[in-house]
Amino acid sequence: MSVIQARSLVKSYGDLNAVDGIDFDVAAGESFGLLGPNGAGKSTTMRMIGGTSLRTSGTLSVLGMDPETHGPEVRANLGVIPQQDNLDTELRVRDNLITYGRYFGLPRSYLQRRADDLLEFAQLTDKAGEKVDNLSGGMKRRLTIARGLINEPRILLLDEPTTGLDPQARHILWDRLFRLKEEGVTLVVTTHFMDEAEQLCDRLVVMDRGRIVAEGSPAQLIRQYCTREVLEVRFGSERNAAVVQQLGDVAERLEVLPDRILLYTDDGEAALERVTSLGLQPLTSLVRRSSLEDVFLRLTGRSLID
Amino acid sequence: MATGVATDSNRLAYTGGVLAPAAQARTARRWGWLLYAEYRLTSMRAYLQTIVIRSIGLPLLYLASMGLGLGALVDSGAGGVDGVSYLVFVAPGLLVSSIVMEATGEFTYPVMSGFKWQKHFFAAAASPVRPGQIAVGEVVAVGLRFLIETVVFWLALLLFGAVTAATSWLVILIAPLAALAFGAPLLAFAATQTDEGAQFAFIQRFVVMPMFLFAGTFFPLGAMPWYLQWIGWISPMWHGTQLARVVCFGMPNPVWLSVLHLVVLLVTAVAGTWFAVRIFTRRLTR
Ligand SMILES: Nc1ncnc2c1ncn2[C@@H]1O[C@H](COP(=O)(O)OP(=O)(O)O)[C@@H](O)[C@H]1O
Ligand SMILES: [Mg+2]
C-alpha cells in the first residue's frame, strides 16, 4: 500500500516550473529517495508533501489525505527534517525536543520521557543541557532528526540529511537512519550524493529540472543505464579531445569530461589493455564500478555536483 | 540512565502509544495558536532578565524624573495639568507609551528571525500548527508579556500615589491593547520584509519617537499647534493614553470620544492581526 502518491505534480514560481509534472508512489516502510542536483525541485517536492508549499496543479495524497486541506492531520504523521536546521539556538538541547513536541499537543510528562529516549537514539544524552550553538554540525543534524521523531511519525521526510557534514558524521547519521528503517519508519530522503542514495534508498527517482528522468532501485538503475564498470583515463586537458576519436571502439560508450574520459564497459581492465595496445599512454587510469553518478551523467549529460 | 545504545523497549517509530495522530491534529486545529504562544513565551526566557529589569526599572526611572523633577517645575508654574498634579497626569501616559514602545522590539527583529535567521516559523509550520495560528500566537504571547509588565508598572504607580481613581486597574487591559494596536500592524509589516535593511531603524526614529514625543504623553495634544495634532489622532499611543487617563484619574472626556478611542484600538489590533495571519499564511505555504 502506498503512503504517498503524487500524480502530475506541478509547482511553479512565476515562469519557473520548480516541479514540472512528476508522478511517484512511496510504499509503507520503504526508504524512498529523490536524487538530483541543486535546483532539481527536491525540497519543493518535500514541502508539498507536508502541505507547507501549495501545489500549482496535480494531485497529492499522503496517508490517503490531501496535505493542503488536511495539513494538521498529515503533519501529525510526519517528521520533517528540513534542508537547513531550524533548531532554537536560544534553548537547550533537550528543551528543543520538548518545546517542539508541544506543537503536537503532546503532554509534557510524555515529552520528558520521549526526549530522553530520543537523545539516547541521537547519541546526545550527555549534551542534553548544552546550548544548541555549542553542538557540532553533525550533532545539530542528529538533534533535528530526533526532533522530527518526537511525535512517533509514520513517515520521516529528510531533506539532504548529510549535506555539509564530514565523512565520519555522515556515517554516524546513516547508521541512525538504518535503525529507523529497521523499525519500519517510512523514509523519504532527498540528496545530491549518489553514495547516500545508494546507502539509504531501497528505491529512488532521479530528478532533473523539476522532472523525473529515471526510477528504480540503485542496482536496477545502474544495470539499466550503465555497464558494470567504468574506466577513467586522463591524457591532460589538451589531449583528451584529440584521443577521443581513437577510443571509439574500446568501450560500449564514452563520456568526455573536461578533465577526463569515462569509458563504460563490463571489464575495465580489458578496456585499459585495449587503450594501451592502441599506443595511447594515459597520465592516470582508474577502474571502478558504475555508480548512480554515472546514471545521472548518462541521463542528463551533466554531473550531480557542479 | 544513559546506556549508550537505545534498547528495544524505547521504540522510535509509530507505536500508537501516544496521543493518536488524529487527536494531535484535532488539538492543534483548535489550540495551535496557544501551543505556539507557549513556545514564544518559553523563548522569551532567553531575555527574561532584560524584560524584568525594564519592566521594573523603567517605571521607577520615569516616575523619579518626570513625576518628581519635571512635575515639581510644572506644578509650581502652571499648578498641574487638567486639574491634577503633573505626576498624576503623566503617569498613565508613561505607562501606555513605554508598553507601546516595547512592541517595536518584539515585532521587528524577532519576526525577521522567524522567517530568515532562526526560521522558527518554518519549524512550527512543519508541525500540525497552521501558519495563521503562528501569527495569532505571536500576538497572544507578546500581549501576555505586555499584560504582566503593565501589572508591574501599575503597581509601582499605585505605590507612588500616581493613580487616584478606583477604575485605574482597567489600565492593565488598556495598555496592552494599545501596544497591540501598534504592534499587530507592525507584525504584519515585518512579515512582509525579506531583507534586513534600515526599515526597522526607520520605524524607530520616524514613527515611534515622534509618537512618544508628540502623541500626548507629556502634555495634552491641545497644547500643540493644530497642524501637529493629527499625529495624536493616528497614534494608538494617544488613544491608549487618553483612555488610560480617563480610568486613572477621571480625566474629563466625552463618552463618545472614549468609545472612539476604544474602537480605534480594537479595530487596529484586530485588523493588524488579520493582515499578519494572511501574510504568514502566504509566506509559510509558498
Ligand atoms: N520560494 C521560492 N521562490 C522562488 N523560487 C523558488 C522558491 N523555492 C525554490 N525555488 C526555485 O525552484 C527550483 C527548485 O528548488 P528546490 O526545490 O529548492 O531544489 P532542490 O531542493 O532540488 O535543490 C530552484 O530553481 C529554486 O530556485
Ligand atoms: Mg533542496
Coordinates of all heavy atoms in Angstrom, one line a residue, chain A residues 11 13 52-54 69-70 72-73 75-77 80 84 86-90 100 102-106 108 110 114 117-118 120-121 125 147 151-154 179-180 183 185, chain B residues 1-3 5-7 10-19 21 24-25 27 29 35-36 38-39 42 45-46 118-119 122-130 284-286:
Chain A
K11 N 4.7 22.5 -9.4 CA 4.8 23.8 -8.6 C 5.6 24.8 -9.4 O 6.7 24.6 -9.8 CB 5.6 23.5 -7.3 CG 5.9 24.7 -6.5 CD 4.7 25.2 -5.8 CE 4.9 26.6 -5.1 NZ 3.8 26.9 -4.3
Y13 N 7.0 28.8 -9.8 CA 7.3 30.1 -9.2 C 7.4 31.1 -10.4 O 8.4 31.0 -11.1 CB 8.6 30.1 -8.4 CG 8.5 29.3 -7.2 CD1 9.2 28.0 -7.1 CD2 7.8 29.7 -6.1 CE1 9.1 27.3 -5.9 CE2 7.7 29.0 -4.9 CZ 8.4 27.8 -4.8 OH 8.3 27.0 -3.7
T52 N 3.3 22.4 3.3 CA 3.9 23.7 3.6 C 4.3 24.5 2.3 O 4.9 25.5 2.4 CB 5.1 23.6 4.5 OG1 6.0 22.7 4.0 CG2 4.6 23.2 5.9
S53 N 3.9 23.9 1.2 CA 4.0 24.6 -0.1 C 2.8 24.2 -0.9 O 2.6 23.0 -1.0 CB 5.3 24.2 -0.8 OG 5.4 24.9 -2.1
L54 N 2.1 25.2 -1.4 CA 0.8 24.8 -2.1 C 1.2 24.5 -3.5 O 1.9 25.2 -4.2 CB -0.1 26.0 -2.0 CG -0.5 26.4 -0.6 CD1 -1.6 27.5 -0.7 CD2 -1.0 25.3 0.2
T69 N -5.6 20.4 2.3 CA -6.8 20.5 3.0 C -6.7 19.9 4.4 O -7.4 20.3 5.3 CB -8.0 19.9 2.3 OG1 -7.7 18.5 2.0 CG2 -8.3 20.6 1.0
H70 N -5.8 18.9 4.6 CA -5.7 18.2 5.8 C -4.3 18.4 6.4 O -3.7 17.4 6.9 CB -6.1 16.8 5.7 CG -7.5 16.5 5.4 ND1 -8.1 16.8 4.2 CD2 -8.5 16.1 6.2 CE1 -9.4 16.5 4.3 NE2 -9.7 16.1 5.5
P72 N -2.9 19.7 9.2 CA -2.6 19.3 10.5 C -2.7 17.7 10.6 O -1.8 17.1 11.3 CB -3.7 19.9 11.4 CG -4.1 21.2 10.6 CD -3.9 20.8 9.2
E73 N -3.6 17.1 10.0 CA -3.8 15.7 10.0 C -2.6 15.0 9.4 O -2.1 14.0 9.9 CB -5.1 15.2 9.4 CG -6.3 15.6 10.1 CD -6.7 17.1 10.1 OE1 -6.2 17.8 9.2 OE2 -7.5 17.5 10.9
R75 N 0.5 16.4 8.9 CA 1.7 16.7 9.6 C 1.8 16.0 10.9 O 2.9 15.8 11.5 CB 1.9 18.2 9.7 CG 2.2 18.8 8.3 CD 2.7 20.3 8.5 NE 1.6 21.2 9.0 CZ 0.7 21.7 8.2 NH1 0.7 21.5 6.9 NH2 -0.2 22.5 8.7
A76 N 0.7 15.6 11.5 CA 0.7 14.8 12.8 C 1.4 13.5 12.5 O 1.9 12.8 13.5 CB -0.7 14.7 13.4
N77 N 1.4 13.0 11.3 CA 2.0 11.7 10.9 C 3.4 11.9 10.4 O 4.0 10.9 10.0 CB 1.1 11.0 9.9 CG -0.1 10.5 10.5 OD1 -0.1 9.5 11.2 ND2 -1.2 11.1 10.3
V80 N 9.6 16.1 10.0 CA 10.2 16.8 8.9 C 11.6 17.3 9.3 O 11.8 18.0 10.3 CB 9.3 18.1 8.6 CG1 10.0 18.9 7.5 CG2 7.9 17.6 8.1
Q84 N 17.8 23.0 5.9 CA 18.6 23.8 6.9 C 18.0 23.6 8.2 O 16.8 23.8 8.4 CB 18.6 25.3 6.5 CG 19.4 25.6 5.3 CD 19.3 27.0 4.9 OE1 18.2 27.6 5.0 NE2 20.4 27.6 4.3
N86 N 16.6 24.2 11.7 CA 15.9 25.4 12.3 C 15.7 25.2 13.7 O 14.6 25.4 14.2 CB 14.7 25.8 11.5 CG 13.7 24.7 11.3 OD1 13.7 23.7 12.0 ND2 12.9 24.8 10.3
L87 N 16.7 24.7 14.4 CA 16.6 24.5 15.9 C 16.5 25.8 16.5 O 16.9 26.8 16.0 CB 17.8 23.7 16.3 CG 18.0 22.3 15.8 CD1 19.4 21.8 16.0 CD2 17.0 21.4 16.5
D88 N 16.0 25.8 17.8 CA 16.0 27.1 18.5 C 17.4 27.2 19.3 O 17.6 26.5 20.2 CB 14.9 27.1 19.5 CG 14.7 28.5 20.1 OD1 15.7 29.1 20.5 OD2 13.6 29.0 20.2
T89 N 18.2 28.1 18.8 CA 19.5 28.2 19.3 C 19.6 28.8 20.7 O 20.6 28.8 21.4 CB 20.5 29.0 18.4 OG1 19.8 30.3 18.1 CG2 20.7 28.3 17.1
E90 N 18.4 29.4 21.1 CA 18.4 30.0 22.5 C 18.1 29.0 23.5 O 18.3 29.2 24.7 CB 17.3 31.1 22.6 CG 17.4 32.2 21.5 CD 18.4 33.3 21.8 OE1 18.9 33.2 22.9 OE2 18.6 34.1 21.0
Y100 N 9.2 21.5 21.0 CA 8.7 21.2 19.6 C 7.5 20.2 19.8 O 6.5 20.3 19.1 CB 9.8 20.6 18.7 CG 9.4 20.7 17.3 CD1 9.4 21.9 16.6 CD2 8.9 19.6 16.6 CE1 9.1 22.0 15.3 CE2 8.6 19.6 15.3 CZ 8.6 20.9 14.6 OH 8.2 20.9 13.3
R102 N 5.4 20.0 22.0 CA 4.1 20.7 22.4 C 3.3 21.2 21.2 O 2.1 21.3 21.3 CB 4.5 21.9 23.3 CG 5.0 21.5 24.7 CD 3.9 20.9 25.5 NE 2.8 21.8 25.8 CZ 1.6 21.4 25.9 NH1 1.2 20.1 25.8 NH2 0.6 22.3 26.1
Y103 N 3.9 21.4 20.1 CA 3.2 21.8 18.9 C 2.2 20.7 18.5 O 1.3 20.9 17.7 CB 4.1 22.1 17.7 CG 4.9 23.3 17.8 CD1 6.1 23.4 17.1 CD2 4.5 24.4 18.5 CE1 6.9 24.6 17.1 CE2 5.2 25.6 18.5 CZ 6.5 25.6 17.8 OH 7.2 26.8 17.9
F104 N 2.5 19.5 18.9 CA 1.6 18.3 18.5 C 0.6 18.1 19.6 O -0.1 17.1 19.6 CB 2.5 17.1 18.3 CG 3.4 17.2 17.2 CD1 4.6 17.9 17.3 CD2 3.1 16.6 15.9 CE1 5.5 18.0 16.2 CE2 3.9 16.7 14.9 CZ 5.1 17.4 15.0
G105 N 0.6 19.0 20.6 CA -0.4 18.9 21.7 C 0.0 17.7 22.7 O -0.9 17.3 23.4
L106 N 1.2 17.2 22.6 CA 1.6 16.1 23.4 C 1.9 16.6 24.8 O 2.4 17.6 25.0 CB 2.8 15.4 22.8 CG 2.6 14.9 21.4 CD1 4.0 14.4 20.8 CD2 1.7 13.7 21.5
R108 N 3.4 17.1 28.5 CA 4.8 17.3 29.0 C 5.4 16.0 29.6 O 6.5 15.7 29.4 CB 4.9 18.4 30.0 CG 5.2 19.7 29.3 CD 5.3 20.9 30.2 NE 5.3 22.1 29.4 CZ 6.3 22.6 28.7 NH1 7.5 22.0 28.8 NH2 6.1 23.6 27.9
Y110 N 4.8 12.9 28.9 CA 5.2 12.0 27.8 C 6.5 12.6 27.1 O 7.4 11.9 26.9 CB 4.1 11.9 26.7 CG 4.6 11.4 25.4 CD1 4.8 10.1 25.2 CD2 4.8 12.3 24.3 CE1 5.3 9.6 24.0 CE2 5.3 11.8 23.1 CZ 5.6 10.5 22.9 OH 6.0 10.0 21.8
R114 N 10.0 10.9 26.3 CA 10.4 10.7 24.9 C 11.7 11.5 24.5 O 12.5 10.9 23.8 CB 9.2 11.3 24.1 CG 9.3 11.2 22.6 CD 9.1 9.9 22.0 NE 9.1 9.8 20.6 CZ 9.3 8.7 19.9 NH1 9.5 7.5 20.5 NH2 9.4 8.7 18.6
D117 N 14.6 9.3 25.5 CA 14.8 8.2 24.6 C 15.4 8.7 23.3 O 16.3 8.1 22.7 CB 13.4 7.6 24.2 CG 12.9 6.8 25.3 OD1 13.6 6.6 26.3 OD2 11.7 6.4 25.3
L118 N 15.0 9.9 22.8 CA 15.4 10.4 21.5 C 16.9 10.9 21.6 O 17.7 10.7 20.7 CB 14.5 11.5 21.0 CG 13.2 11.0 20.5 CD1 12.2 12.1 20.1 CD2 13.3 10.1 19.3
E120 N 19.1 9.6 23.5 CA 19.9 8.4 23.5 C 20.0 7.9 22.1 O 21.1 7.6 21.7 CB 19.1 7.4 24.4 CG 20.0 6.5 25.2 CD 19.2 5.7 26.2 OE1 18.9 6.3 27.2 OE2 19.0 4.5 25.9
F121 N 18.9 7.9 21.4 CA 19.0 7.5 20.0 C 20.0 8.4 19.2 O 20.7 7.9 18.4 CB 17.6 7.6 19.4 CG 17.6 7.6 17.9 CD1 17.8 6.4 17.2 CD2 17.3 8.7 17.2 CE1 17.8 6.4 15.8 CE2 17.3 8.7 15.8 CZ 17.6 7.6 15.1
T125 N 22.8 12.2 24.7 CA 22.4 12.2 26.1 C 23.3 13.1 27.0 O 22.8 13.9 27.8 CB 22.4 10.8 26.7 OG1 21.6 10.0 25.9 CG2 22.0 10.7 28.1
R147 N 14.2 15.6 16.9 CA 13.1 16.5 17.0 C 12.0 16.0 16.0 O 10.8 16.0 16.4 CB 13.5 17.9 16.7 CG 12.4 18.9 17.1 CD 12.8 20.3 16.6 NE 12.8 20.5 15.2 CZ 13.0 21.6 14.5 NH1 13.4 22.7 15.2 NH2 13.0 21.7 13.2
N151 N 7.0 13.0 17.7 CA 5.6 12.6 17.6 C 5.3 11.2 17.1 O 4.2 10.9 16.7 CB 4.8 13.6 16.7 CG 5.4 13.6 15.3 OD1 6.6 13.6 15.1 ND2 4.5 13.7 14.3
E152 N 6.4 10.3 17.1 CA 6.3 9.0 16.6 C 5.7 9.0 15.2 O 4.7 8.4 14.9 CB 5.4 8.1 17.5 CG 5.9 7.8 18.8 CD 5.1 6.7 19.5 OE1 4.1 6.3 19.0 OE2 5.5 6.3 20.6
P153 N 6.4 9.7 14.3 CA 5.8 9.8 12.9 C 5.9 8.5 12.2 O 6.7 7.6 12.4 CB 6.8 10.8 12.2 CG 8.1 10.6 12.9 CD 7.7 10.3 14.4
R154 N 4.9 8.3 11.2 CA 5.0 7.2 10.4 C 5.9 7.4 9.2 O 6.4 6.5 8.6 CB 3.6 6.9 9.8 CG 2.6 6.4 10.8 CD 1.3 6.1 10.1 NE 0.2 6.5 10.9 CZ -0.8 5.6 11.3 NH1 -0.8 4.4 10.9 NH2 -1.7 6.1 12.1
R179 N 18.7 2.3 11.6 CA 18.0 1.9 12.8 C 16.5 2.2 12.6 O 15.6 1.4 12.9 CB 18.6 2.6 14.0 CG 17.8 2.7 15.2 CD 17.9 1.4 16.1 NE 16.8 1.2 16.9 CZ 16.6 1.9 18.1 NH1 17.6 2.6 18.5 NH2 15.6 1.7 18.8
L180 N 16.2 3.4 12.1 CA 14.8 3.8 11.9 C 14.1 2.9 10.8 O 13.0 2.5 11.0 CB 14.7 5.3 11.5 CG 15.1 6.3 12.5 CD1 15.1 7.7 12.0 CD2 14.2 6.2 13.7
E183 N 13.0 -0.3 12.0 CA 11.8 -0.2 12.8 C 10.6 0.0 12.0 O 9.5 0.1 12.5 CB 11.9 1.0 13.8 CG 12.7 0.6 15.0 CD 12.4 1.5 16.2 OE1 11.3 2.1 16.2 OE2 13.2 1.5 17.1
V185 N 9.9 2.7 9.9 CA 9.6 4.1 9.6 C 9.8 4.3 8.1 O 10.8 3.8 7.5 CB 10.5 5.1 10.3 CG1 10.0 6.5 10.0 CG2 10.5 4.9 11.8
Chain B
M1 N 21.4 6.2 33.7 CA 20.3 6.4 32.8 C 20.8 6.2 31.3 O 20.2 5.6 30.5 CB 19.7 7.8 33.0 CG 18.4 8.0 32.2 SD 17.8 9.7 32.4 CE 18.9 10.6 31.5
A2 N 21.9 6.9 31.0 CA 22.4 6.8 29.7 C 23.1 5.4 29.5 O 24.0 5.1 30.1 CB 23.4 7.9 29.4
T3 N 22.5 4.6 28.6 CA 23.1 3.3 28.4 C 23.9 3.3 27.1 O 24.4 2.2 26.7 CB 22.0 2.2 28.3 OG1 21.0 2.6 27.4 CG2 21.4 2.0 29.7
V5 N 23.3 2.8 24.0 CA 22.5 2.3 22.9 C 21.1 2.2 23.3 O 20.8 1.7 24.4 CB 23.0 0.9 22.5 CG1 22.2 0.4 21.3 CG2 24.5 0.9 22.2
A6 N 20.2 2.7 22.4 CA 18.8 2.7 22.8 C 18.3 1.2 22.8 O 18.7 0.4 21.9 CB 18.0 3.4 21.7
T7 N 17.6 0.9 23.8 CA 17.1 -0.5 23.9 C 15.9 -0.7 23.1 O 15.3 0.2 22.6 CB 16.8 -0.8 25.4 OG1 15.9 0.1 25.8 CG2 18.0 -0.8 26.2
N10 N 12.4 1.3 24.0 CA 12.1 2.6 23.5 C 12.1 2.6 22.0 O 13.0 3.0 21.4 CB 12.9 3.7 24.1 CG 14.3 3.3 24.4 OD1 14.6 2.1 24.3 ND2 15.2 4.2 24.8
R11 N 10.9 2.3 21.5 CA 10.8 2.3 20.0 C 10.6 3.7 19.5 O 10.1 4.5 20.2 CB 9.6 1.4 19.6 CG 9.9 -0.1 19.7 CD 8.7 -0.9 19.3 NE 8.1 -0.5 18.0 CZ 8.5 -0.9 16.8 NH1 9.5 -1.8 16.8 NH2 7.9 -0.5 15.7
L12 N 11.2 3.9 18.4 CA 11.1 5.3 17.9 C 10.0 5.5 16.8 O 9.5 6.6 16.6 CB 12.5 5.6 17.2 CG 13.6 5.5 18.3 CD1 14.9 5.2 17.6 CD2 13.7 6.7 19.2
A13 N 9.7 4.4 16.2 CA 8.7 4.5 15.1 C 7.3 4.7 15.7 O 7.1 4.7 17.0 CB 8.7 3.3 14.3
Y14 N 6.3 4.7 14.9 CA 4.9 4.8 15.3 C 4.5 3.6 16.1 O 4.6 2.5 15.6 CB 4.0 5.0 14.1 CG 2.6 5.1 14.4 CD1 2.1 6.3 15.0 CD2 1.7 4.1 14.2 CE1 0.8 6.4 15.4 CE2 0.4 4.2 14.6 CZ -0.1 5.4 15.2 OH -1.4 5.5 15.5
T15 N 4.0 3.8 17.3 CA 3.5 2.7 18.1 C 2.1 2.9 18.4 O 1.4 2.0 18.8 CB 4.3 2.6 19.5 OG1 4.0 3.8 20.2 CG2 5.8 2.4 19.3
G16 N 1.6 4.1 18.2 CA 0.2 4.4 18.6 C 0.0 4.5 20.1 O -1.1 4.7 20.6
G17 N 1.2 4.5 20.8 CA 1.1 4.6 22.3 C 0.9 6.0 22.7 O 0.3 6.2 23.8
V18 N 1.2 7.0 22.0 CA 0.9 8.4 22.4 C -0.5 8.8 21.9 O -1.2 8.0 21.3 CB 1.9 9.4 21.7 CG1 3.2 9.3 22.5 CG2 2.0 9.2 20.3
L19 N -0.8 10.0 22.1 CA -2.0 10.6 21.5 C -2.0 10.3 20.0 O -1.0 10.5 19.3 CB -1.8 12.1 21.7 CG -3.0 13.1 21.6 CD1 -4.1 12.6 22.6 CD2 -2.6 14.5 21.9
P21 N -2.4 10.4 16.1 CA -2.2 11.5 15.2 C -3.5 12.3 14.9 O -3.4 13.5 14.9 CB -1.7 10.8 13.9 CG -1.1 9.6 14.3 CD -1.8 9.1 15.5
Q24 N -3.9 14.5 17.8 CA -2.9 15.6 17.8 C -3.4 16.7 16.8 O -3.4 17.8 17.2 CB -1.6 15.1 17.2 CG -0.8 14.1 18.2 CD 0.4 13.6 17.5 OE1 1.0 14.2 16.7 NE2 0.8 12.4 17.9
A25 N -3.9 16.2 15.7 CA -4.4 17.2 14.7 C -5.6 18.0 15.2 O -5.6 19.2 15.0 CB -4.7 16.5 13.4
T27 N -6.3 18.6 18.4 CA -5.8 19.6 19.4 C -5.2 20.8 18.7 O -5.5 21.9 19.1 CB -4.7 18.9 20.3 OG1 -5.3 17.7 20.8 CG2 -4.3 19.8 21.4
R29 N -5.6 21.9 15.6 CA -6.6 22.7 14.9 C -7.3 23.7 15.8 O -7.5 24.9 15.5 CB -7.7 21.9 14.2 CG -7.3 21.4 12.8 CD -8.5 20.8 12.1 NE -8.0 20.2 10.9 CZ -7.9 20.9 9.7 NH1 -8.2 22.2 9.7 NH2 -7.5 20.3 8.6
L35 N -0.6 26.8 21.5 CA 0.6 26.0 21.6 C 1.8 26.8 21.1 O 2.9 26.7 21.6 CB 0.4 24.7 20.8 CG -0.6 23.7 21.3 CD1 -0.9 22.6 20.2 CD2 -0.2 23.1 22.6
Y36 N 1.6 27.6 20.0 CA 2.7 28.4 19.5 C 3.0 29.5 20.6 O 4.2 29.8 20.8 CB 2.4 29.0 18.2 CG 3.5 29.9 17.8 CD1 4.7 29.3 17.2 CD2 3.5 31.3 18.0 CE1 5.8 30.1 17.0 CE2 4.6 32.0 17.7 CZ 5.7 31.4 17.2 OH 6.9 32.2 17.0
E38 N 2.8 29.4 23.7 CA 3.5 28.8 24.8 C 5.0 28.7 24.4 O 5.9 29.0 25.2 CB 2.9 27.3 25.0 CG 3.6 26.6 26.1 CD 3.1 25.1 26.2 OE1 1.8 24.9 26.0 OE2 3.9 24.2 26.4
Y39 N 5.3 28.3 23.2 CA 6.7 28.3 22.7 C 7.3 29.7 22.8 O 8.4 29.9 23.2 CB 6.7 27.7 21.3 CG 8.0 28.1 20.6 CD1 9.2 27.4 20.9 CD2 8.1 29.2 19.7 CE1 10.4 27.8 20.3 CE2 9.3 29.6 19.1 CZ 10.5 28.9 19.4 OH 11.6 29.2 18.9
T42 N 8.1 30.7 26.1 CA 9.3 29.9 26.6 C 10.6 30.6 26.0 O 11.6 30.7 26.7 CB 9.2 28.5 26.1 OG1 8.0 27.9 26.4 CG2 10.3 27.6 26.7
R45 N 12.3 33.4 27.7 CA 13.2 33.2 28.9 C 14.6 33.6 28.6 O 15.3 34.0 29.5 CB 13.2 31.7 29.2 CG 12.0 31.3 30.1 CD 12.4 30.0 30.8 NE 12.7 29.0 29.9 CZ 12.3 27.7 30.0 NH1 11.6 27.3 31.0 NH2 12.7 26.8 29.1
A46 N 15.0 33.6 27.3 CA 16.3 33.9 26.9 C 16.6 35.4 27.2 O 17.7 35.7 27.5 CB 16.5 33.7 25.4
Q118 N 16.6 32.4 12.4 CA 16.4 31.1 13.2 C 15.4 30.3 12.5 O 15.4 29.0 12.6 CB 15.9 31.5 14.6 CG 15.6 30.3 15.4 CD 16.5 30.4 16.7 OE1 17.7 30.4 16.7 NE2 15.8 30.7 17.8
K119 N 14.5 30.9 11.7 CA 13.4 30.2 11.0 C 12.5 29.4 11.9 O 12.0 28.3 11.5 CB 14.1 29.2 9.9 CG 14.8 29.9 8.8 CD 15.3 28.9 7.8 CE 16.2 29.5 6.8 NZ 15.5 30.3 5.8
F122 N 9.1 28.5 10.3 CA 9.1 27.3 9.4 C 9.1 26.0 10.2 O 8.5 25.1 9.8 CB 10.3 27.4 8.4 CG 10.1 28.5 7.4 CD1 10.8 29.7 7.6 CD2 9.4 28.3 6.3 CE1 10.6 30.7 6.6 CE2 9.2 29.3 5.3 CZ 9.8 30.5 5.5
A123 N 9.8 26.1 11.3 CA 9.8 24.9 12.2 C 8.4 24.6 12.7 O 7.9 23.5 12.6 CB 10.8 25.1 13.3
A124 N 7.8 25.6 13.1 CA 6.4 25.4 13.7 C 5.4 25.0 12.6 O 4.6 24.2 12.8 CB 5.9 26.7 14.3
A125 N 5.6 25.6 11.4 CA 4.7 25.3 10.3 C 4.8 23.9 9.8 O 3.9 23.4 9.1 CB 5.0 26.3 9.1
A126 N 5.9 23.2 10.1 CA 6.1 21.8 9.7 C 5.4 20.9 10.7 O 5.4 19.7 10.5 CB 7.6 21.4 9.6
S127 N 4.8 21.4 11.8 CA 4.1 20.7 12.8 C 2.6 20.8 12.5 O 2.2 21.6 11.5 CB 4.4 21.2 14.2 OG 3.6 22.4 14.4
P128 N 1.7 20.2 13.2 CA 0.3 20.4 12.9 C -0.2 21.8 13.1 O -1.4 22.2 12.7 CB -0.4 19.5 13.9 CG 0.6 18.4 14.2 CD 1.9 19.2 14.2
V129 N 0.5 22.7 13.7 CA 0.1 24.1 13.9 C 0.1 24.8 12.5 O 1.0 24.6 11.7 CB 1.1 24.8 14.8 CG1 0.8 26.3 14.9 CG2 1.1 24.2 16.2
R130 N -0.9 25.6 12.3 CA -1.1 26.2 11.0 C -0.5 27.6 11.0 O -0.4 28.3 12.0 CB -2.5 26.3 10.6 CG -3.1 24.9 10.1 CD -4.6 24.9 9.9 NE -5.2 25.1 11.2 CZ -6.4 25.6 11.4 NH1 -7.2 25.9 10.4 NH2 -6.9 25.7 12.6
L284 N 4.4 31.1 4.5 CA 4.8 29.8 5.0 C 4.2 28.7 4.2 O 4.3 27.5 4.5 CB 4.3 29.7 6.5 CG 5.0 30.6 7.5 CD1 4.4 30.5 8.9 CD2 6.5 30.3 7.5
T285 N 3.5 29.0 3.1 CA 3.0 28.0 2.2 C 3.4 28.2 0.8 O 2.9 27.7 -0.2 CB 1.5 27.9 2.2 OG1 0.9 29.2 1.9 CG2 0.9 27.4 3.5
R286 N 4.5 29.0 0.6 CA 4.9 29.4 -0.7 C 5.5 28.3 -1.4 O 6.2 27.4 -0.9 CB 6.0 30.5 -0.5 CG 6.3 31.2 -1.8 CD 6.4 32.7 -1.7 NE 7.5 33.1 -0.8 CZ 7.7 34.3 -0.4 NH1 6.8 35.3 -0.6 NH2 8.7 34.7 0.3

